[in-house]
């Protein structure tokens, strides 16, 4: 039985990866320090004999006994609110955490896939973004802690590949949504859905003309799995190229939820990218991957997930976020 370590395994993407690898017949070691991850996301796996949870901070030395075939490094705060709240942890998990994972991959002769991000393109001057665009990042701005940590992660991964011949993969993840996103992580989708469920106005930042391209989580997980099983070492964008303005996105959520709460406009956060859309030619040609889930179906599944929150949870998590 092949053994895989997933860091950040109790988070949004990490927990879906745990499900995928269990379904594919792997033994899964899920590691998380539960700062932004939640044990609830993996509760359904804890009685599975092919699954173990390792409560550990990836920036500290990692002990794994026995063999490891694959490592997926997904530990990191990933929303602008999170990295404003915990900037130093964000830098450490992308740098020290990545180094620990790469060192472990080298020691165990495991293949490692690291999670990078569309944020490495910063506020892009080229549209859509293909992997050969080097980006436009403000190193000292509020998003710099995440963007630069992930840029360092890519550089370190390539160095381990060329210098130590570690078998590496780098995925650049664009905006992804689906069940198990945190209601209070401050990102557009959970913010809008939570507001709609509480009958509050939807808060659009700026005039809402900035664009994003949203990928449903099952598509992303399939792309990541295909990349891991390929032999391609350079970065690959995985995301859905269907682009929408944030104002239209808020209106789409209002329409699907059949809720008439108004939209209110708040100031645009510093360095908020004006447009973002992945060029996925590489993923299509090298991995034979393209997204399958249209936004309406994906949104309906995600909204259903949030509808299962109790009123207490809806307000409790919201209060926690505001403080
Ligand atoms: N956004 C918004 N209202 C919110 C939360 C986010 O208008 O309550 C905007 C945000 O300014 C950005 C877009 O939605 O332009 C996507 O933000 P998100 O935090 O989801 O992701 P990222 O900026 O990392 O793509």
């Amino acid at each position: 039985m092949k053994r895989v370590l997933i860091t950040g395994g109790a988070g949004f993407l990490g927990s879906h990866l745990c499900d995928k690898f269990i379904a594919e017949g792997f033994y899964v070691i899920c590691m998380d320090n539960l700062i932004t991850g939640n044990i609830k996301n993996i509760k359904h796996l804890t009685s599975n004999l092919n699954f173990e949870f390792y409560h550990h901070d990836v920036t500290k030395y990692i002990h794994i006994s026995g063999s490891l075939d694959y490592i997926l490094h997904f530990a990191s705060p990933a929303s602008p609110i999170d990295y404003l709240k915990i900037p130093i942890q964000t830098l450490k998990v992308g740098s020290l955490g990545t180094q620990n994972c790469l060192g472990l991959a080298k020691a165990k002769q495991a293949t490692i896939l690291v999670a990078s991000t569309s944020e490495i393109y910063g506020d892009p001057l080229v549209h859509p973004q293909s992997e050969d665009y080097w980006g436009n990042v403000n190193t000292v701005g509020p998003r710099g802690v995440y963007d630069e940590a992930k840029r360092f992660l890519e550089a370190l991964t390539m160095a381990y590949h060329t210098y130590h011949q570690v078998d590496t993969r780098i995925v650049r993840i664009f905006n992804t949504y689906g069940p198990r996103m945190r209601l209070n992580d401050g990102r557009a989708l959970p913010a809008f859905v939570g507001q709609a469920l509480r009958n509050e106005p939807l808060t659009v930042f700026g005039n809402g003309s900035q664009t994003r391209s949203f990928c449903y989580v099952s598509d992303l997980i399939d792309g990541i799995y295909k990349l891991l099983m390929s032999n391609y070492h350079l970065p690959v964008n995985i995301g859905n190229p269907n682009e929408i303005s944030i104002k239209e996105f808020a209106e789409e959520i209002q329409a699907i939820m059949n809720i008439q709460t108004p939209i209110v406009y708040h100031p645009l956060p510093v360095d908020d990218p004006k447009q973002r859309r992945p060029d996925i030619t590489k993923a299509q040609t090298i991995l034979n991957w393209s997204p399958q889930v249209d936004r309406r179906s994906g949104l309906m599944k995600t909204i259903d997930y949030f509808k299962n929150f109790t009123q207490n949870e809806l307000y409790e998590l919201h209060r926690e976020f505001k403080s």
Side-chain angles (χ1 to χ4, degrees):
M1 185 173 240
K2 301 267 190 207
R3 287 161 50 91
V4 57
L5 170 71
I6 301 174
T7 76
F12 165 45
L13 297 181
S15 65
H16 285 283
L17 285 169
C18 289
D19 286 342
K20 172 73 174 170
F21 281 86
I22 288 288
E24 296 286 340
F26 285 76
Y27 184 88
V28 173
I29 303 166
C30 163
M31 194 170 110
D32 208 300
N33 65 358
L34 301 177
I35 289 190
T36 57
N38 192 328
I39 208 82
K40 273 192 194 159
N41 291 336
I42 48 159
K43 212 171 158 204
H44 58 290
L45 294 173
T46 47
S47 59
N48 191 312
L49 294 178
N50 296 331
F51 180 85
E52 73 181 79
F53 178 64
Y54 179 19
H55 189 182
H56 184 69
D57 178 345
V58 68
T59 67
K60 309 282 185 323
Y61 187 86
I62 310 166
H63 290 276
I64 301 281
S65 49
S67 66
L68 263 188
D69 300 285
Y70 298 102
I71 300 171
L72 289 102
H73 179 37
F74 275 70
S76 179
S79 79
I81 288 284
D82 286 341
Y83 35 85
L84 282 175
K85 263 189 183 167
I86 42 174
I88 295 169
Q89 284 96 328
T90 304
L91 281 158
K92 282 172 76 179
V93 73
S95 52
L96 304 179
T98 304
Q99 197 190 358
N100 285 340
C101 289
L102 286 162
L104 184 66
K106 177 171 168 268
K108 302 279 185 184
Q109 295 182 315
T111 298
I112 176 167
L113 182 148
V114 296
S116 184
T117 166
S118 54
E119 280 283 328
I120 65 107
Y121 300 121
D123 189 1
L125 304 176
V126 166
H127 194 69
Q129 295 78 52
S130 65
E131 291 85 348
D132 53 14
Y133 176 51
W134 292 350
N136 177 38
V137 171
N138 176 7
T139 57
V140 294
R143 301 170 88 104
V145 294
Y146 184 63
D147 303 5
E148 291 303 332
K150 291 295 189 179
R151 291 172 73 97
F152 180 81
L153 160 144
E154 291 197 5
L156 191 62
T157 302
M158 287 310 293
Y160 268 75
H161 177 70
T162 51
Y163 192 73
H164 287 309
Q165 291 80 48
V166 172
D167 192 22
T168 57
R169 314 277 184 272
I170 301 172
V171 58
R172 288 187 183 153
I173 300 170
F174 282 67
N175 294 67
T176 303
Y177 68 100
R180 303 187 195 150
M181 288 187 97
R182 268 170 39 231
L183 185 70
N184 61 347
D185 82 353
R187 283 193 269 201
L189 184 143
F192 295 158
V193 176
Q195 287 157 350
L197 291 173
R198 290 187 301 268
N199 276 314
E200 293 169 0
L202 271 54
T203 53
V204 166
F205 298 161
N207 62 9
S209 63
Q210 70 272 29
T211 66
R212 294 294 185 272
S213 309
F214 294 94
C215 183
Y216 189 64
V217 63
S218 59
D219 281 334
L220 184 93
I221 299 296
D222 283 350
I224 289 170
Y225 191 80
K226 283 190 166 169
L227 176 60
L228 182 67
M229 296 305 157
S230 77
N231 58 5
Y232 193 75
H233 304 294
L234 293 171
V236 178
N237 289 341
I238 300 280
N240 189 321
N242 189 351
E243 186 179 357
I244 186 172
S245 78
I246 292 302
K247 180 171 182 284
E248 286 166 327
F249 190 54
E251 289 165 350
E252 195 167 274
I253 290 173
Q254 283 177 320
I256 293 175
M257 296 179 74
N258 195 19
I259 278 173
Q260 271 86 42
T261 56
I263 290 179
V264 291
Y265 293 89
H266 287 201
L268 193 66
V270 177
D271 296 336
D272 198 288
K274 283 180 272 310
Q275 50 183 5
R276 183 182 285 157
R277 169 156 60 99
D279 178 332
I280 57 164
T281 312
K282 244 191 190 187
Q284 285 168 324
T285 50
I286 296 169
L287 309 178
N288 191 25
W289 173 87
S290 54
Q292 304 297 318
V293 181
D294 64 274
R295 202 171 48 238
R296 192 180 166 81
S297 340
L299 279 177
M300 280 165 52
K301 287 185 206 171
T302 312
I303 291 166
D304 278 349
Y305 168 77
F306 285 118
K307 276 188 178 160
N308 283 327
F309 280 56
T310 61
Q311 286 295 311
N312 269 352
E313 282 172 326
L314 272 181
Y315 285 92
E316 195 50 47
L317 289 171
H318 183 53
R319 262 198 298 281
E320 186 188 304
F321 165 61
K322 281 188 132 178
S323 68

